Amino acid sequence: MSASKRISIAVDGPAGAGKSSISKVVAKKLGYLYIDTGAMYRAVTLAVLRAGANPADTDAVSHLLSNLTLRMEPTEEAFRVYVDDNDVTDAIRTQEVNANVSVVAAQKAVRQYLVAQQREMALAGGVILDGRDIGSVVLPNADLKIYLTASVETRAKRRWLEMKDNESVSLDDVKKSVADRDEMDKNREESPLVCVPDAVVIESDNLTFDETVDAMLKLATDVANKAEA
């Protein structure tokens, strides 16, 4: 499926709402570039942990950024994430990263570092970015803004199933982690998670994966056709 005009799409929502997996499929069907901003924050968090730095130490994290090389390479299915030329695509999906990413992502230096990269990647149009502050901060002028959400219970189960080390982590632990992250993301000082007034809200609790994809595709196609008219 291809749209008349190649628009920019901002997808926001809380952890585990399905933003990444659904946005990947929508981007592929539209022939768009998919940019997983959450993976970028996870990659920085992993770099901090591997460096042995305290994730809450803003000076240490800021210093690490000055020497960090982060890149995302598109693949036929999605993308691979590299930190200093090391493939960390799987390593960023562990519970240790889950438990620390909000602390790192809340820091002003980290957000400035990654937002600059994200805006540059989106300049050409024909892109889908997903995260927590895309419509409010990264792409406030996006052609289409979507807020994808679901209950804590639904999101925790999805997050647990996608984790690479889920055999060693209980679903209850993941549920607590998701709830804690909601609180941190909504109340952080830098770019908190918000549903902007002009976003279209999709609640996916009672939607299948394919139904959610179809809902996003219809929104994207309608907006693109109107922009072309």
Side-chain angles (χ1 to χ4, degrees), residues 57-134:
D57 186 336
T58 55
D59 289 337
V61 173
S62 181
H63 177 72
L64 181 143
L65 290 174
S66 64
N67 298 303
L68 184 70
T69 301
L70 168 64
R71 75 177 194 278
M72 300 175 71
E73 291 189 358
T75 66
E76 188 170 337
E77 291 305 314
F79 57 87
R80 306 297 295 179
V81 184
Y82 294 84
V83 171
D84 297 331
D85 292 326
N86 296 311
D87 188 334
V88 298
T89 309
D90 291 337
I92 63 174
R93 299 294 174 185
T94 64
Q95 177 62 7
E96 184 182 20
V97 173
N98 284 350
N100 289 281
V101 64
S102 283
V103 174
V104 174
Q107 297 177 34
K108 185 174 184 178
V110 175
R111 304 203 74 80
Q112 289 179 335
Y113 172 81
L114 292 180
V115 166
Q117 292 190 33
Q118 293 156 11
R119 284 176 175 163
E120 185 174 350
M121 295 164 80
L123 283 176
V127 295
I128 296 179
L129 278 79
D130 78 89
R132 287 165 181 73
D133 63 346
I134 310 303

Side-chain angles (χ1 to χ4, degrees), residues 10-216:
V11 181
D12 289 302
K19 300 183 302 296
S20 300
S21 55
I22 291 166
S23 294
K24 279 183 219 172
V25 175
V26 172
K28 188 171 183 178
K29 287 180 178 290
L30 291 171
Y32 279 21
L33 173 65
Y34 166 65
I35 303 171
D36 181 351
T37 65
M40 298 172 77
Y41 285 100
R42 286 172 170 277
V44 172
T45 302
L46 180 66
V48 170
L49 294 171
R50 287 185 170 179
N54 180 348
D57 186 336
T58 55
D59 289 337
V61 173
S62 181
H63 177 72
L64 181 143
L65 290 174
S66 64
N67 298 303
L68 184 70
T69 301
L70 168 64
R71 75 177 194 278
M72 300 175 71
E73 291 189 358
T75 66
E76 188 170 337
E77 291 305 314
F79 57 87
R80 306 297 295 179
V81 184
Y82 294 84
V83 171
D84 297 331
D85 292 326
N86 296 311
D87 188 334
V88 298
T89 309
D90 291 337
I92 63 174
R93 299 294 174 185
T94 64
Q95 177 62 7
E96 184 182 20
V97 173
N98 284 350
N100 289 281
V101 64
S102 283
V103 174
V104 174
Q107 297 177 34
K108 185 174 184 178
V110 175
R111 304 203 74 80
Q112 289 179 335
Y113 172 81
L114 292 180
V115 166
Q117 292 190 33
Q118 293 156 11
R119 284 176 175 163
E120 185 174 350
M121 295 164 80
L123 283 176
V127 295
I128 296 179
L129 278 79
D130 78 89
R132 287 165 181 73
D133 63 346
I134 310 303
S136 58
V137 175
V138 181
L139 295 180
N141 297 317
D143 298 296
L144 171 62
K145 299 175 185 177
I146 295 171
Y147 190 83
L148 182 62
T149 188
S151 67
V152 170
E153 289 75 17
T154 298
R155 292 185 284 118
K157 187 172 183 180
R158 290 172 180 167
R159 178 53 50 85
W160 181 73
L161 289 172
E162 77 176 9
M163 286 168 55
K164 301 299 180 181
D165 55 351
N166 65 8
E167 292 182 357
S168 62
V169 182
S170 74
L171 179 56
D172 284 341
D173 286 343
V174 177
K175 188 184 296 185
K176 183 180 185 304
S177 177
V178 168
D180 289 346
R181 182 157 189 193
D182 283 355
E183 286 302 306
M184 291 187 68
D185 288 346
K186 291 176 181 177
N187 296 302
R188 69 191 181 201
E189 185 175 344
E190 289 295 326
S191 305
L193 168 65
V194 294
C195 177
V196 294
D198 55 340
V200 179
V201 178
I202 298 177
E203 295 185 357
S204 66
D205 284 279
N206 298 313
L207 296 177
T208 65
F209 183 91
D210 289 342
E211 287 171 342
T212 310
V213 167
D214 288 344
M216 286 180 59

